Amino acid sequence: MREASGGRTSRWFRTPVRALRTPVRAFGTSLKARRPDRRPPLILLVPACVAALFALLPLGYLAVRALERGPAFAWDVVADERTLDLLGRSLGLTAVVVAASLVLGVSLAWLTVRTALPGARAWSVLATLPLAVPSYVAAFAWLSAEPGLAGFGGAALTLTLVSFPYVHLPVAAALRGIDPAQEEAARSLGHGPLRTFVRVTLPQLRPAAAGGALLVALYVLSDFGAVSLMRYDTFTRAIHTSYRASFDRTPAAALSVVLVVMTVALVAAEARTRGRAGHARTGTGAARPAVPVALGRWRPLALLWCGAVTAVAVAFPLGTLGYWLAVGSSATRDLGGLAETAWGTFGVAAAGAGLTTLLALPVGVIAARHRGRGARLLEQAAYAGHALPGITVALALVFFAVRYAYPLYQQLPLLVCAYAVLFLPVAVAATRAAVLQAPPVLEDMARSLGRRPWQVLREVTVPLAAPGVAAGAALTFVVCMKELPATLLLRPTGMDTLATRLWTETGAGSFAAAAPYAAALILLAAVPSYLLGRHRT
């Protein structure tokens, strides 16, 4: 992010600050005379509470279902040996994927942002493209090449390769916003490059890395496609099997409650790891980019590392789909139907991304600007639905629609609402990070000049955070297109998306017929992923 320096203001600050021309000395006096208000204004608090209640709606359904046969029965399900085994398997898979994603995301971000890596801009864009590959498509590609990968190893490999961009993107953005003067000061005191990175750079990357790791963890806990194809039992697969195997929803609801508890624990741990760190640079002086680190004899190894990650995460699944398109005799040639399905997928994903971003904006601003238990509870509530399996969220919305809003049953708005519940944390994390990088002193200036809270939000906060919010909306659009379980249950009668057609053909064993839909899904999702990578470079 460009910084305000001296008498100049960067292009991101110029518009919102135009109305704030006042002597700095008078502004300092006004700040001393008033006490800062730590309570969120109603213009933010009311819609944030609405978003939190919306995200908590599936929990109400789970409470009704889990306690339907009494607390004792629900406890027996939770305390069962099988449940404890699922807990260990899910946590083990999550820990491995998060650790591997941190290694891939942080290393690629540092190589593409802070070093003189040849083609750094192109490598940075390529590192975002795995977002366009659904986990079930990646699992299908690896299984078709090596069936022996089924199990824990295959699930961990697949989920790591499709989720590490959640770490790469925020860490790369944080690296660009760090003042290089601190690293230069450390080196002038005799610290080497490695010690400088560990002692100076890495602590400043902690909030971004922790936020990305949280998204990866929630993605792994809620994934259904990859673990199903890899035949590795986790909570999501067990919940789906329980729903399909019996009319009794109580065991599945009890297992879903365990996932909610795990989500709350992860969000609390991420908040503690993040601490009170911020990203804004408010000091004087000219903002300048960091001097790229010369790789020297490590350059071939760095290029090999970037090329290997791109090959296994992007080139391999695309090559596999190309093979099935070329040699599969059953591949569909219905281009008109494919185009219609692609257009429907684009429309419903855009609507889901729009609603999700709108709900995430007040929650993200409060999480970034206000401290206290209430702000933490609002943020944690927004994350509640993300770790729930899509089928659980879908059944909760069906339960609500049938009882209280029947006209929405089997209608498109219900599917859009499911996307908002499932992916609200993606937009909240992006909004919070964007607001954290905006200097809060500019909002204080606006309030000192008599601006009302809604005017500060419209004229200062939103314009400053707009690029990051837009990036979060693009990321939400991508994950909405790839969502499978909730779409299978909630899509209107006669409507198909690329994900549902792909799953139908794959379930029937028609891999060649599924290939066009997989290729179209990847290509459609690659557009916002590419733009997202270009925005961050």
Side-chain angles (χ1 to χ4, degrees):
M1 176 180 288
R2 295 179 174 86
E3 312 289 347
S5 61
R8 300 183 296 110
T9 307
S10 72
R11 62 189 182 94
W12 294 118
F13 296 166
R14 191 173 298 126
T15 300
V17 180
R18 187 172 296 163
L20 306 179
R21 295 170 181 168
T22 185
V24 176
R25 186 175 303 171
F27 165 67
T29 304
S30 68
L31 281 183
K32 292 179 181 179
R34 67 182 182 89
R35 296 180 62 185
D37 185 8
R38 296 296 182 182
R39 294 176 300 174
L42 289 179
I43 190 66
L44 289 175
L45 188 59
V46 173
C49 290
V50 171
L53 292 175
F54 187 73
L56 290 174
L57 180 62
L59 298 185
Y61 167 79
L62 289 181
V64 172
R65 288 298 189 189
L67 300 177
E68 196 171 30
R69 298 178 60 181
F73 181 83
W75 175 252
D76 289 340
V77 174
V78 172
D80 186 73
E81 184 179 351
R82 170 64 173 165
T83 303
L84 298 178
D85 179 64
L86 289 173
L87 178 63
R89 295 167 71 90
S90 299
L91 289 178
L93 180 63
T94 301
V96 170
V97 174
V98 167
S101 297
L102 284 170
V103 172
L104 292 177
V106 174
S107 63
L108 290 176
W110 186 77
L111 287 173
T112 55
V113 174
R114 284 302 184 91
T115 71
L117 181 72
R121 187 181 183 91
W123 290 120
S124 182
V125 173
L126 288 172
T128 66
L129 292 184
L131 291 174
V133 182
S135 64
Y136 44 87
V137 172
F140 157 71
W142 284 101
L143 281 177
S144 64
E146 182 53 56
L149 276 176
F152 176 84
L157 174 66
T158 300
L159 290 171
T160 298
L161 294 178
V162 300
S163 58
F164 78 85
Y166 289 115
V167 176
H168 167 77
L169 287 172
V171 171
L175 279 171
R176 295 185 187 94
I178 291 176
D179 189 352
Q182 300 180 38
E183 299 172 348
E184 293 169 359
R187 285 194 292 268
S188 69
L189 294 175
H191 294 300
L194 180 60
R195 192 174 182 185
T196 299
F197 177 80
V198 173
R199 299 282 303 271
V200 178
T201 308
L202 196 58
Q204 298 182 75
L205 298 179
R206 185 180 63 183
L214 176 63
L215 290 179
V216 172
L218 297 181
Y219 182 89
V220 174
L221 288 176
S222 63
D223 179 77
F224 168 73
V227 295
S228 295
L229 290 178
M230 289 293 178
R231 297 187 296 278
Y232 182 75
D233 284 336
T234 60
F235 270 107
T236 50
R237 192 181 184 202
I239 290 169
H240 185 266
T241 302
S242 179
Y243 272 125
R244 297 291 298 271
S246 173
F247 289 104
D248 185 6
R249 309 301 190 197
T250 303
L255 293 178
S256 298
V257 170
V258 178
L259 270 183
V260 173
V261 174
M262 293 168 63
T263 300
V264 173
L266 286 172
V267 173
E270 187 272 339
R272 181 177 294 273
T273 301
R274 186 200 324 152
R276 303 176 65 88
H279 300 277
R281 177 182 182 272
T282 57
T284 59
R288 54 185 175 78
V291 178
V293 177
L295 293 173
R297 58 193 176 95
W298 297 101
R299 178 179 297 180
L301 187 60
L303 289 172
L304 179 63
W305 174 248
C306 294
V309 174
T310 302
V312 297
V314 180
F316 179 79
L318 291 180
T320 303
L321 293 179
Y323 168 79
W324 283 108
L325 286 171
V327 305
S329 58
S330 62
T332 179
R333 303 300 177 188
D334 184 13
L335 296 180
L338 180 63
E340 181 180 356
T341 304
W343 178 250
T345 303
F346 179 88
V348 70
L355 176 61
T356 306
T357 304
L358 187 64
L359 292 173
L361 183 62
V363 180
V365 174
I366 289 177
R369 287 290 187 253
H370 299 277
R371 309 291 181 184
R373 182 177 301 176
R376 290 195 301 270
L377 288 177
L378 283 175
E379 185 181 7
Q380 291 171 4
Y383 282 82
H386 193 59
L388 291 176
I391 188 172
T392 302
V393 174
L395 287 173
L397 293 179
V398 168
F399 177 82
F400 174 80
V402 169
R403 295 203 173 192
Y404 307 107
Y406 190 76
L408 293 179
Y409 181 64
Q410 286 192 330
Q411 298 298 318
L412 197 60
L414 202 62
L415 178 58
V416 174
C417 290
Y419 289 159
V421 172
L422 287 167
F423 305 121
L424 186 61
V426 178
V428 168
T431 301
R432 184 192 66 202
V435 175
L436 279 173
Q437 289 192 347
V441 66
L442 299 178
E443 299 171 2
D444 292 337
M445 291 172 64
R447 285 191 289 268
S448 73
L449 294 175
R451 294 292 191 273
R452 296 183 178 275
W454 66 269
Q455 292 176 313
V456 175
L457 183 67
R458 185 190 65 181
E459 299 175 7
V460 180
T461 308
V462 172
L464 290 174
V469 174
L475 185 58
T476 306
F477 174 79
V478 172
V479 294
C480 286
M481 280 199 301
K482 300 188 298 181
E483 204 286 326
L484 180 63
T487 308
L488 285 171
L489 189 61
L490 293 178
R491 71 187 192 277
T493 303
M495 175 189 173
D496 273 319
T497 66
L498 294 171
T500 60
R501 287 299 300 269
L502 168 63
W503 186 259
T504 301
E505 299 293 350
T506 303
S510 304
F511 297 130
Y517 296 100
L521 181 60
I522 291 177
L523 291 176
L524 191 59
V527 175
S529 299
Y530 170 79
L531 295 176
L532 189 60
R534 294 273 298 181
H535 163 73
R536 295 297 189 183
T537 58

